[in-house]
Amino acid sequence: MKPNIELIKAELEKRNWSGSKLAMKMGVSRMEVSRLLRGERIGGKKCIGGLIKAFPEIPIEQLFFLE
């Protein structure tokens, strides 16, 4: 599963969240979020679980590209 970076960035802007706020909601480091948003990290279990936790109202089919 590959995170939908464009959707995540749009949600951050819409909610007025910083990368630090997203990191806190996901339970990961700021550096991990930075790598994710730059597309350098496609996501392990912790990243995938963190995104689902941070955006529970967004369907998984929109949050991730299922490969």
Side-chain angles (χ1 to χ4, degrees), residues 30-45:
R30 263 185 339 115
M31 197 65 199
E32 188 75 20
V33 168
S34 179
R35 286 186 195 116
L36 173 75
L37 295 176
R38 288 193 312 256
E40 294 174 4
R41 177 99 164 102
I42 353 181
K45 285 187 261 182

Side-chain angles (χ1 to χ4, degrees), residues 2-67:
K2 183 178 176 193
N4 184 343
I5 303 300
E6 295 308 313
L7 174 75
I8 294 166
K9 287 180 180 179
E11 285 295 321
L12 289 177
E13 190 171 321
K14 183 171 95 175
R15 297 165 192 241
N16 200 25
W17 286 3
S18 64
S20 296
K21 175 90 172 193
L22 178 59
M24 184 181 73
K25 296 272 187 183
M26 289 176 64
V28 299
S29 70
R30 263 185 339 115
M31 197 65 199
E32 188 75 20
V33 168
S34 179
R35 286 186 195 116
L36 173 75
L37 295 176
R38 288 193 312 256
E40 294 174 4
R41 177 99 164 102
I42 353 181
K45 285 187 261 182
K46 194 168 186 179
C47 183
I48 291 168
L51 285 170
I52 293 169
K53 182 176 153 188
F55 302 110
E57 69 288 347
I58 299 177
I60 196 166
E61 300 84 24
Q62 291 178 12
L63 200 54
F64 298 95
F65 297 114
L66 305 176
E67 299 174 339

